Amino acid sequence: MKKQHEKIKVKSTIVEIDGDEMTRIMWKMVKEKLLFPYLDMKLEYYDLGLKKRDETDDKITVDAANAIKKHGVGVKCATITPNKDRIKEYNLKKEWPSPNGTIRAILDGTVFRSPILADNIPPSVRNWKKPIHIGRHAYGDVYKNQEIRVPGPGKGELRFTPADGGQPISLTIQDFKGPGVLQGIHNTDKSISSFAKACFTYALDQKVPLWFATKDTISKTYDARFRQIFHEEFEKNWKKKYEDAGIEYFFTLIDDAVARVMKSEGGFLWACKNYDGDVLSDMLGSAYGSLAMMTSVLVSPDGFFEYEAAHGTVQKHYYKYLKGEKTSSNPMALIFAWTGALKKRGELDKTPEVVDFAHKLEQASIETVEAGIMTGDLMKVATPSQKNKQVYTEEFIDAIADKLKKKL
Ligand code: NAP
Ligand code: MG
């Protein structure tokens, strides 16, 4: 075991982005009990707690994103996306946009989610033995659409007018005989291409195969463009690297992909178009046991990484905490956000001892759960359930700290 003064040095800066409510409370405990005693870190701290965002007219969010661009690696706590209720609760100047949306727009990234697996938290799908990572394209399609409620008979059209004064392209979508609905969606080669690059990068990073699926048998231009861009990107920039790493790029139809995922043992990255990713990531999250067992990383095509938990600020638990009650909130995904950032930092800095520490902290966390010491969310799904003990957040973190200490 190392003595207190022999802390492991993390060479380069990590951008630390603090957040709100229960996750803010857990964030502090994780740092104080699991990281600071063992690591000598240079952290550049940005407080994205809602009050601070309001005070700075949200400039702090932009600064945090730019800091990730500068240093390459960031770790973020969950943050409140304000709505009308929050404006009242925090007496806000305005309804500030989602910090994750702002950061994503600046880093131009793709979000990848991965479950944390423990032996006694079995996934609902019993043949899933390894994590299924999911990558969601976070631009365009139905999320940036235009819609018309068609009031009665008439012609619904799709029209493109070239900026250079060329001939417009016009198609009839439907000759309506009566009322209905009409929708227009789009995507861009640039965005699809950075999505593809991010997915190829992440799968290679994790040394897992990449699956991608569209419905290009039906959507012969729109979905086909996604397929083409992925194919071209693979042939041009990744084929050799994938061969060397012993992993494959696999394309199939989305319905075939869904069927295969259910029969698979996991262990791949599933790249999803925007809507597919929205729906399927929630399905995967719940199938793997708890929201708090899902980590998330934003990977930019320029090689910047931001790690976080997939869940929110756990508001309901925070209100209990404010009343002085102890809560059994689960810090696993927050811990894994830190280990993700540390592993990436160590890899970029070529400091294997930092990567090794992060692995040990992950092992200590999983072993704690596997020893039957767990938070309430996991108690509900753990098998076998008899011997398990539900603990408060702080007790859970202390149990992890005990295991970690023995590994160092
Ligand atoms: P949430 O914070 O994810 O929590 C939803 C429910 O899931 C909780 O009430 C709790 O269920 C369970 N849960 C989530 N994380 C847990 C954990 N670590 N340990 C134990 N249980 C956990 O979602 P929300 O309540 O809808 O959103 C709260 C705030 O988070 C909102 O202001 C939203 O804007 C923000 N948010 C932020 C992010 C982000 O920063 N990435 C993402 C999503 C939401 P029980 O109550 O049944 O115990
Ligand atoms: Mg969703």
Side-chain angles (χ1 to χ4, degrees):
M1 200 177 118
K2 280 203 170 68
K3 292 201 200 87
Q4 277 304 90
H5 62 268
E6 292 178 276
K7 286 190 183 175
I8 300 162
K9 196 166 170 53
V10 181
K11 209 164 117 197
S12 312
T13 301
I14 294 177
V15 179
E16 180 198 349
I17 304 178
D18 210 342
D20 290 299
E21 300 196 310
M22 204 59 219
T23 40
R24 189 181 179 99
I25 308 295
M26 292 197 277
W27 190 257
K28 189 159 178 277
M29 289 183 197
V30 167
K31 283 193 299 181
E32 283 173 2
K33 291 174 185 274
L34 302 175
L35 304 174
F36 290 164
Y38 309 106
L39 299 173
D40 173 11
M41 292 190 277
K42 269 184 280 177
L43 298 172
E44 195 167 301
Y45 179 82
Y46 291 85
D47 183 0
L48 261 58
L50 188 48
K51 263 193 213 134
K52 196 77 187 177
R53 278 182 273 149
D54 197 50
E55 266 167 46
T56 62
D57 292 342
D58 209 23
K59 187 174 165 295
I60 187 111
T61 307
V62 175
D63 291 346
N66 285 325
I68 295 178
K69 269 191 164 173
K70 181 171 167 208
H71 298 291
V73 180
V75 58
K76 180 180 169 291
C77 184
T79 45
I80 293 170
T81 297
N83 56 18
K84 303 276 177 281
D85 295 338
R86 301 298 201 163
I87 293 184
K88 262 191 246 147
E89 185 183 353
Y90 285 82
N91 191 20
L92 301 177
K93 293 179 199 158
K94 62 179 258 199
E95 197 172 319
W96 303 108
S98 148
N100 284 5
T102 303
I103 294 171
R104 207 176 297 154
I106 292 172
L107 299 182
D108 180 23
T110 302
V111 173
F112 296 96
R113 289 183 165 192
S114 307
I116 303 161
L117 304 189
D119 284 348
N120 51 344
I121 312 294
S124 321
V125 180
R126 63 174 183 270
N127 42 285
W128 289 355
K129 303 275 184 274
K130 300 178 198 161
I132 297 171
H133 312 265
I134 198 157
R136 172 182 170 189
H137 186 206
Y139 177 83
D141 300 354
V142 73
Y143 302 87
K144 219 169 157 37
N145 69 351
Q146 290 290 357
E147 306 187 329
I148 296 172
R149 165 73 172 115
V150 173
K155 193 150 79 159
E157 286 178 308
L158 189 62
R159 184 182 169 86
F160 172 72
T161 311
D164 65 6
Q167 195 61 29
I169 307 167
S170 202
L171 295 171
T172 300
I173 296 175
Q174 178 70 359
D175 270 316
F176 286 92
K177 306 285 181 256
V181 281
L182 190 63
Q183 179 185 63
I185 61 171
H186 85 283
N187 225 297
T188 67
D189 281 12
K190 181 165 179 274
S191 174
I192 301 166
S193 173
S194 37
F195 172 52
K197 281 191 172 68
C199 291
F200 284 114
T201 307
Y202 189 78
L204 184 64
D205 195 52
Q206 299 286 317
K207 306 261 179 317
V208 293
L210 174 63
W211 292 22
F212 181 49
T214 66
K215 194 71 184 178
D216 60 312
T217 44
I218 301 296
S219 172
K220 290 180 196 296
T221 303
Y222 196 106
D223 274 25
R225 189 67 195 133
F226 281 78
R227 179 180 184 164
Q228 277 161 12
I229 288 176
F230 267 72
H231 179 75
E232 285 161 18
E233 178 64 27
F234 179 66
E235 292 292 322
K236 200 168 134 214
N237 297 321
W238 302 92
K239 203 171 180 178
K240 177 78 174 58
K241 291 178 195 153
Y242 272 50
E243 273 166 20
D244 292 348
I247 55 176
E248 63 163 354
Y249 166 57
F250 173 61
F251 177 87
T252 187
L253 286 172
I254 184 66
D255 35 359
D256 181 49
V258 169
R260 282 173 191 262
V261 164
M262 298 307 283
K263 292 282 179 214
S264 78
E265 63 162 30
F268 51 88
L269 168 63
W270 189 6
C272 288
K273 286 181 63 200
N274 209 346
Y275 178 80
D276 299 339
D278 183 350
V279 176
L280 296 167
S281 64
D282 284 353
M283 188 193 75
L284 252 69
S286 89
Y288 274 112
S290 163
L291 264 180
M293 297 294 270
M294 188 62 91
T295 61
S296 182
V297 55
L298 177 71
V299 180
S300 89
D302 305 312
F304 311 126
F305 298 81
E306 184 210 39
Y307 295 82
E308 64 168 351
H311 60 76
T313 60
V314 214
Q315 182 182 10
K316 283 194 208 127
H317 296 209
Y318 183 59
Y319 290 160
K320 280 194 195 153
Y321 169 87
L322 287 182
K323 281 193 262 165
E325 291 172 38
K326 283 189 183 175
T327 72
S328 186
S329 322
N330 187 343
M332 284 291 266
L334 293 177
I335 296 171
F336 276 66
W338 275 101
T339 55
L342 287 166
K343 281 195 278 184
K344 181 51 74 181
R345 191 70 279 170
E347 193 187 304
L348 296 173
D349 294 347
K350 302 201 169 48
T351 48
E353 62 282 10
V354 174
V355 178
D356 181 59
F357 171 84
H359 276 301
K360 285 179 174 152
L361 176 50
E362 290 183 353
Q363 280 164 7
S365 307
I366 291 170
E367 284 168 17
T368 302
V369 173
E370 289 181 344
I373 301 168
M374 57 183 74
T375 47
D377 56 323
L378 297 182
M379 280 292 282
K380 287 182 207 149
V381 291
T383 321
S385 55
Q386 309 87 334
K387 298 193 304 272
N388 299 331
K389 180 171 167 238
Q390 177 173 326
V391 289
Y392 295 121
T393 304
E394 190 152 14
E395 295 173 287
F396 181 63
I397 295 176
D398 286 338
I400 296 173
D402 272 349
K403 284 212 190 293
L404 177 63
K405 227 182 272 169
K406 291 183 189 126
K407 288 179 186 292
L408 295 170

